C-alpha cells in the first residue's frame, strides 16, 4: 500500500478523522515540501500513531484575534523531528502538522499579517514602509521563530527589528510605540507547558490586535496557501535590524517612573527574593529594582534561561509549586517578600509574610486589589488625581476579576470599566481614551502633542480634562498595568509597584494580610476561586464545545438548593460598559445565584481548557467576626465549586 492508501484505510476504519485524512493527503502530495516533512509523516503512519496524527492534522491552526498558540513539539516526536537536540533539549525541527506551531504556520501568520498591514497603510494614505518589531522568550524554537518571522517580513518588502536576545512581552508592547512600528509580535506561550509556543500579534498602538484589524489579519492569514510558504523557509538576517542593549534604556526608565512615592521607597526599600522561573523577567526587573535600592536575592537555580523549565512542574507564578524554591530562599535569607515572573514576564506571583513571620501566597485578585488601593491613595496624596476622585479617572478590570476592585474604585470616587478577558480589551480602552484626548485638545485648543513624551502630571491633567485618566488595570490571572505608555500587562512594572507597596507597609509596621483585612472590613469579605477543566486534542476540543453550547441552549437552573437567579449570555445579549460602549459578543456566560454568589464561564483562548470563575461576598459587621466569616464563606465556596464542576463534566459528555 502507498502512504496515501494507508492514510485512506485508517480513515475508513475510523482511526483517522475525515478532516485529518484530507489535510494529510494535501501534505503528502506536496512535492515542494522539504523531504524531512514526508519522512516524519511516514514514520507516524507506519507506527499507527493515529491519535497523534489526528491531533496534528484534524484542523488548520487558527490564527485567532490575538495570534496563534499551541504545541510545537508533538506528544509523539518522530526521529527526524528530534534529530540532534540542542544543549537545552530543543529538537532539530518543530512538529509537522497543520495544527501545531511550526515554520509553516509561523510563516503563514507573518505573510498574512504583512499583507494586512500593507493594505492598511495604503488605505490610510500612508506611504510608510511596514515596520515590524519582534521579541521572543526562552522557549524551544523561540529565537528561530523570531528570526524566521523577521526574515520573511523583509523578503516581503518590509522592515523588521529584533532584539539581540530574549525580551519580555511588555517590552515588546513598549517597543512598538518606541520605534513607531506598524505592528509587532512576541514569540511566546506565556506560562504554558514547555512543549508549547506562540505568535502574539500587536498593532501600532502597542496593544494586541482587536477589531477591525483582528478580523482583517485573520482573513488574510487564512488565504495564505501551503505552496507559498516554502520560499520563506531559508532565513536571511542580512536586512534585519538587530537592536542592541541601548534600546532597553527607555523601557528601564519607564519602570523607574512607576514609583509614585520615591521617598518611602528610598527609606524603607524591602529585601526581596526574585525568580524569573527560567524566563526573561530578570532582564529588566532585577536592574530596575537594584537601581531603586531594593536588596534583591536571586534564586540561582532558576535564573538561567531554559525553555524546559527544569525546576518546576509548570512555569506559572499562579502555582504554589513554582514559588517553592523562592520561598525556601526567603526563609533562609529572612527576606520580606518573594516575587516571581512567568517566562515572558507579563504575570507576577508573590508570597508575603504574615504577622507570625510565615510566608503566605496571595492570589492574583488579592494582589490587584492591594495595588489598586495603594496606587489610588498615593496618586491622591501626590495630587495627581483629585482627593474626591473623578468620573474621568478609571480602573479597568476584566469581568472575571474580583468585584472587590470595583468596590475599591467606587469608594475612591473612580469609574470602573469591566472588559472581556484578555488585556487586549484594556489596551483597546487606552487607545480610545488617548484618541479622544487628542481630538478634543485639537478641536478646543488647536493643539497637537507628543503624548508619550509628556510627564506623568501633564498626562494626568490632559486626560482628566479632555478624556479619561487610566489609574490601574488588571486581571485575576496575575496581570497588572498602571501606565498607558505600553498596552499589555507588565510583570516588570508590577514587581516595582509591589516593592513600593511593601516599603509603605514596612513604614506602617503592617503586614500584607493585615492591609487586606482592613479592606475587607471596609468593603466586605470577597472570595474568588477558579475551576480549570482540561480537555486536550480533537476529542477534548469537542467536549469544551459541548459545555459552552449547552450553557446557551440549556442554561443551568440550579445547583442543589441554590437556584440561578440571573443569566447573561455575552454572545447574544447586548452588553454596554460604563463608557456607553457595546462589548463585543463572545461565548462567555455570567450567572447570578440565589445565595448571593455568582460565576462566569469561558473557554480559554490559549490552553485546551474551560474555566469557571466563582465569586462570593459576605458582610463583616465587627472586626472580630472576620475569621468566622472567612470560614463560613469557604464552606459555601467549596460546595459551589463541586456542584459547578460536576455539572460541567456531565455536559462535556452529552
Amino acid at each position: 500500500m502507498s502512504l496515501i492508501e494507508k492514510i485512506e484505510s485508517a480513515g475508513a476504519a475510523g482511526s483517522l478523522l475525515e478532516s485529518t485524512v484530507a489535510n494529510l493527503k494535501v501534505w503528502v502530495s506536496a512535492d515542494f515540501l522539504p523531504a524531512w516533512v514526508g519522512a516524519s509523516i511516514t514514520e507516524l503512519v507506519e507506527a499507527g500513531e493515529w491519535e497523534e496524527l489526528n491531533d496534528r492534522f484534524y484542523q488548520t491552526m487558527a490564527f485567532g484575534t490575538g495570534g496563534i498558540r499551541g504545541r510545537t513539539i508533538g506528544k509523539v516526536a518522530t526521529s527526524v523531528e528530534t534529530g540532534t537536540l540542542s544543549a537545552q533539549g530543543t529538537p532539530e525541527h518543530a512538529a509537522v502538522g497543520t495544527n501545531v506551531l511550526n515554520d509553516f504556520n509561523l510563516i503563514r501568520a507573518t505573510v498574512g499579517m504583512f499583507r494586512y498591514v500593507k493594505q492598511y497603510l495604503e488605505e490610510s494614505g500612508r506611504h510608510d514602509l511596514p515596520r515590524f518589531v519582534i521579541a521572543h522568550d526562552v522557549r524551544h524554537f523561540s529565537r528561530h521563530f523570531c528570526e524566521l518571522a523577521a526574515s520573511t517580513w523583509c523578503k516581503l518588502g518590509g522592515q523588521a527589528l529584533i532584539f539581540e536576545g530574549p525580551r519580555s512581552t511588555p517590552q515588546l508592547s513598549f517597543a512598538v510605540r518606541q520605534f513607531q512600528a506598524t505592528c509587532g509580535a512576541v514569540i511566546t506561550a506565556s506560562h504554558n507547558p514547555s512543549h508549547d509556543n506562540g505568535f502574539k500579534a500587536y498593532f501600532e498602538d502597542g496593544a494586541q490586535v482587536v477589531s477591525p484589524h483582528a478580523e482583517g489579519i485573520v482573513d488574510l492569514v487564512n488565504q495564505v496557501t501551503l505552496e507559498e510558504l516554502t520560499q520563506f523557509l531559508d532565513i536571511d538576517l542580512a536586512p534585519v535590524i538587530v537592536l542592541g542593549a541601548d534600546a532597553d534604556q527607555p523601557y528601564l526608565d519607564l519602570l523607574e517612573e512607576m514609583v509614585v512615592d520615591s521617598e518611602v521607597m528610598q527609606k524603607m526599600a524591602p529585601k526581596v527574593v526574585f525568580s524569573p522561573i527560567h524566563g526573561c523577567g530578570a532582564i529588566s526587573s532585577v536592574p530596575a529594582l537594584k537601581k531603586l535600592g531594593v536588596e534583591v536575592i536571586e534564586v540561582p537555580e532558576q535564573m538561567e534561561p531554559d525553555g524546559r523549565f527544569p525546576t518546576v512542574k509548570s512555569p506559572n507564578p499562579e502555582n504554589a509549586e513554582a514559588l517553592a524554591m523562592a520561598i525556601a530562599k526567603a526563609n533562609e535569607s529572612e527576606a520580606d517578600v518573594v516575587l516571581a515572573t512567568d517566562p515572558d514576564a507579563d504575570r507576577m506571583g508573590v508570597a508575603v509574610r504574615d504577622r507570625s513571620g510565615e510566608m503566605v501566597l496571595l492570589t492574583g485578585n488579592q494582589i490587584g486589589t492591594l495595588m489598586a488601593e495603594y496606587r489610588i491613595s498615593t496618586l491622591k496624596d501626590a495630587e495627581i488625581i483629585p482627593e474626591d476622585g473623578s468620573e474621568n479617572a478609571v480602573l479597568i478590570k476584566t469581568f472575571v476579576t474580583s468585584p472587590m476592585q470595583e468596590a475599591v474604585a467606587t469608594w475612591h470616587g473612580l469609574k470602573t470599566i469591566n472588559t472581556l478577558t484578555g488585556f487586549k480589551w484594556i489596551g483597546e480602552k487606552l487607545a480610545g481614551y488617548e484618541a479622544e484626548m487628542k481630538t478634543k485638545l485639537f478641536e478646543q485648543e488647536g493643539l497637537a502633542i507628543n503624548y508619550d513624551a509628556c510627564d506623568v502630571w501633564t498626562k494626568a491633567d490632559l486626560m482628566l480634562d479632555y478624556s479619561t485618566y487610566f489609574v490601574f488595570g488588571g486581571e485575576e490571572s496575575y496581570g497588572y498595568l498602571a501606565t498607558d505608555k505600553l498596552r499589555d500587562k507588565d510583570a516588570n512594572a508590577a514587581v516595582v509597584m509591589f516593592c513600593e507597596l511593601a516599603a509603605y507597609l514596612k513604614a506602617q509596621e503592617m503586614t500584607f494580610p493585615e492591609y487586606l483585612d482592613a479592606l475587607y472590613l471596609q468593603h466586605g469579605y470577597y472570595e474568588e476561586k477558579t475551576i480549570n477543566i482540561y480537555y486536550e486534542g480533537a476529542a477534548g476540543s469537542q467536549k469544551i464545545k459541548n459545555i459552552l453550547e449547552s450553557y446557551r441552549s440549556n442554561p443551568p437552573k440550579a445547583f442543589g438548593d441554590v437556584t440561578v437567579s440571573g443569566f447573561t449570555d455575552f454572545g447574544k445579549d447586548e452588553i454596554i460598559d460604563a463608557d456607553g460602549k457595546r462589548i463585543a459578543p463572545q461565548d462567555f456566560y455570567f450567572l447570578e445565584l440565589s445565595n448571593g454568589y455568582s460565576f462566569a464561564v469561558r473557554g480559554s483562548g490559549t490552553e485546551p481548557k474551560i474555566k469557571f470563575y466563582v465569586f462570593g461576598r459576605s458582610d463583616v459587621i465587627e472586626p472580630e467576626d472576620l475569621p468566622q466569616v472567612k470560614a463560613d464563606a469557604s464552606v459555601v465556596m467549596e460546595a459551589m465549586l463541586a456542584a459547578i464542576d460536576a455539572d460541567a463534566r456531565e455536559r462535556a459528555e452529552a
Side-chain angles (χ1 to χ4, degrees):
M1 292 175 70
S2 70
L3 184 60
I4 286 183
E5 287 173 334
K6 290 178 180 177
I7 290 168
E8 290 175 333
S9 176
S15 300
L16 289 178
L17 297 170
E18 186 178 340
S19 59
T20 302
V21 172
N23 286 331
L24 275 169
K25 287 171 70 174
V26 169
W27 278 57
V28 169
S29 302
D31 57 6
F32 49 81
L33 292 175
W36 67 267
V37 172
S40 188
I41 294 172
T42 299
E43 186 176 328
L44 291 170
V45 171
E46 294 295 343
E49 294 288 357
W50 310 126
E51 184 179 353
E52 178 72 7
L53 284 164
N54 275 328
D55 288 348
R56 291 187 185 206
F57 282 95
Y58 83 97
Q59 66 175 6
T60 297
M61 178 172 270
F63 188 101
T65 54
I68 49 179
R69 186 187 293 190
R71 272 190 173 268
T72 194
I73 300 173
K75 292 180 187 175
V76 180
T78 68
S79 60
V80 69
E81 288 167 354
T82 302
T84 303
L85 295 173
S86 74
Q88 291 196 346
T90 303
E92 197 165 325
H93 299 289
V96 170
T98 58
N99 190 44
V100 288
L101 184 59
N102 49 31
D103 290 16
F104 307 100
N105 274 326
L106 191 285
I107 293 170
R108 188 168 64 94
T110 306
V111 171
M113 193 159 163
F114 177 88
R115 288 174 178 168
Y116 178 80
V117 165
K118 185 179 179 184
Q119 175 183 301
Y120 165 75
L121 290 172
E122 289 171 353
E123 291 176 354
S124 303
R126 292 159 57 182
H127 304 290
D128 306 340
L129 197 64
R131 181 178 294 171
F132 187 32
V133 185
I134 315 164
H136 67 87
D137 67 7
V138 303
R139 287 176 172 272
H140 297 300
F141 300 106
S142 280
R143 184 67 185 184
H144 169 75
F145 287 154
C146 173
E147 292 179 347
L148 181 61
S151 170
T152 299
W153 194 269
C154 290
K155 287 178 182 179
L156 289 164
Q159 182 186 70
L161 296 78
I162 65 176
F163 291 92
E164 61 183 359
R167 291 297 187 275
S168 65
T169 289
Q171 186 168 350
L172 182 279
S173 172
F174 181 83
V176 170
R177 299 174 69 86
Q178 176 186 357
F179 294 105
Q180 298 180 319
T182 327
C183 57
V186 59
I187 309 299
T188 183
S190 190
H191 58 279
N192 278 34
S194 62
H195 51 64
D196 286 1
N197 214 327
F199 175 99
K200 196 173 177 182
Y202 292 77
F203 216 63
E204 61 184 342
D205 62 337
Q208 294 175 59
V209 291
V210 293
S211 185
H213 307 305
E215 293 84 353
I217 294 170
V218 169
D219 183 52
L220 290 176
V221 168
N222 290 338
Q223 291 179 33
V224 180
T225 64
L226 185 61
E227 291 85 348
E228 294 180 77
L229 305 180
T230 54
Q231 63 185 303
F232 301 106
L233 288 173
D234 293 329
I235 294 175
D236 177 12
L237 294 180
V240 175
I241 297 170
V242 180
L243 301 168
D246 58 332
D248 298 332
Q249 194 55 52
Y251 178 66
L252 291 172
D253 291 343
L254 173 64
L255 297 182
E256 192 174 349
E257 288 175 20
M258 297 312 301
V259 175
V260 180
D261 188 346
S262 56
E263 185 177 345
V264 76
M265 195 70 158
Q266 289 167 5
K267 290 180 178 178
M268 305 299 290
K271 180 180 182 181
V272 306
V273 168
F274 176 81
S275 172
I277 319 180
H278 302 289
C280 53
I283 294 169
S284 299
S285 289
V286 172
L289 290 179
K290 288 182 176 178
K291 188 174 181 184
L292 290 166
V294 176
E295 182 181 353
V296 181
I297 299 163
E298 299 176 354
V299 182
E301 301 91 340
Q302 296 181 334
M303 298 304 290
E304 185 65 29
D306 190 334
R308 295 168 295 186
F309 314 116
T311 65
V312 294
K313 291 178 183 176
S314 166
N316 187 347
E318 298 180 36
N319 300 334
E321 180 269 338
L323 272 64
M325 293 182 76
I327 290 173
K329 178 66 72 174
N331 288 331
E332 172 192 312
S333 61
E334 299 184 343
D336 303 313
V337 172
V338 164
L339 303 161
T341 55
D342 70 344
D344 65 323
D346 65 351
R347 299 170 195 252
M348 175 194 74
V350 307
V352 298
R353 295 204 182 277
D354 63 15
R355 179 53 64 187
S356 70
E358 291 297 310
M359 274 284 170
V360 294
L361 296 170
L362 297 178
T363 69
N365 281 309
Q366 291 169 339
I367 296 167
T369 300
L370 291 169
M371 290 206 297
E373 166 64 32
Y374 174 74
R375 194 157 188 89
I376 295 169
S377 299
T378 311
L379 288 173
K380 286 183 173 182
D381 291 343
E383 299 182 349
I384 293 173
I385 58 177
E387 179 59 35
D388 294 332
S390 169
E391 272 297 303
N392 290 342
V394 68
L395 179 146
I396 310 178
K397 71 176 197 66
T398 60
F399 281 102
V400 299
T401 298
S402 174
M404 186 174 182
Q405 292 178 23
E406 183 164 1
V408 167
T410 301
W411 191 89
H412 279 287
L414 272 61
K415 175 172 64 177
T416 300
I417 294 290
N418 284 285
T419 72
L420 295 170
T421 304
F423 242 81
K424 65 183 179 182
W425 304 111
I426 296 178
E428 180 185 41
K429 277 291 175 186
L430 300 185
Y433 294 149
E434 180 183 353
E436 180 185 15
M437 179 275 294
K438 288 180 174 178
T439 298
K440 287 184 177 178
L441 186 64
F442 185 77
E443 289 176 350
Q444 296 177 23
E445 312 293 345
L447 296 175
I449 60 164
N450 181 351
Y451 181 62
D452 279 347
C454 295
D455 62 38
V456 64
W457 291 275
T458 303
K459 292 182 84 168
D461 287 344
L462 286 169
M463 299 306 278
L464 288 168
D465 289 346
Y466 298 99
S467 183
T468 301
Y469 176 61
F470 173 63
V471 174
F472 186 79
E475 54 186 4
E476 52 75 41
S477 53
Y478 296 70
Y480 318 100
L481 182 67
T483 177
D484 61 0
K485 284 193 174 182
L486 57 93
R487 304 294 166 87
D488 208 346
K489 53 187 175 287
D490 187 349
N492 301 307
V495 161
V496 170
M497 291 189 289
F498 200 80
C499 282
E500 181 185 350
L501 173 53
Y504 166 78
L505 293 178
K506 198 172 177 182
Q508 301 298 313
E509 298 183 349
M510 181 184 287
T511 68
F512 280 91
E514 288 167 350
Y515 191 41
L516 187 59
D517 281 350
L519 294 178
Y520 289 146
L521 294 174
Q522 188 173 11
H523 303 292
Y525 175 64
Y526 287 78
E527 185 178 20
E528 310 84 18
K529 296 284 186 182
T530 56
I531 303 169
N532 296 291
I533 304 178
Y534 288 83
Y535 291 117
E536 293 204 52
S541 177
Q542 184 59 49
K543 289 181 178 180
I544 292 172
K545 187 178 178 184
N546 289 347
I547 298 171
L548 290 172
E549 288 183 349
S550 74
Y551 259 78
R552 176 165 293 150
S553 62
N554 182 29
K557 303 294 189 294
F559 297 91
D561 295 334
V562 180
T563 58
V564 175
S565 57
F567 180 83
T568 304
D569 182 343
F570 280 69
K572 292 174 64 177
D573 301 334
E574 185 174 17
I575 314 297
I576 306 297
D577 71 17
D579 285 332
K581 306 287 187 183
R582 185 179 179 185
I583 292 170
Q586 190 178 92
D587 286 336
F588 172 65
Y589 310 100
F590 200 92
L591 292 83
E592 296 166 63
L593 306 176
S594 59
N595 64 350
Y597 279 57
S598 58
F599 74 94
V601 188
R602 59 176 286 271
S604 172
T606 57
E607 295 178 85
K609 67 180 179 181
I610 187 164
K611 298 189 73 171
F612 299 81
Y613 308 79
V614 188
F615 308 99
R617 182 192 176 280
S618 307
D619 288 326
V620 185
I621 307 302
E622 299 292 342
E624 58 268 22
D625 297 339
L626 186 54
Q628 189 60 50
V629 169
K630 289 182 180 181
D632 293 345
S634 179
V635 172
V636 176
M637 178 63 77
E638 290 306 314
M640 294 310 311
L641 294 173
I644 293 167
D645 184 276
D647 175 76
R649 293 182 189 276
E650 259 186 54
R651 291 169 181 270
E653 303 298 334

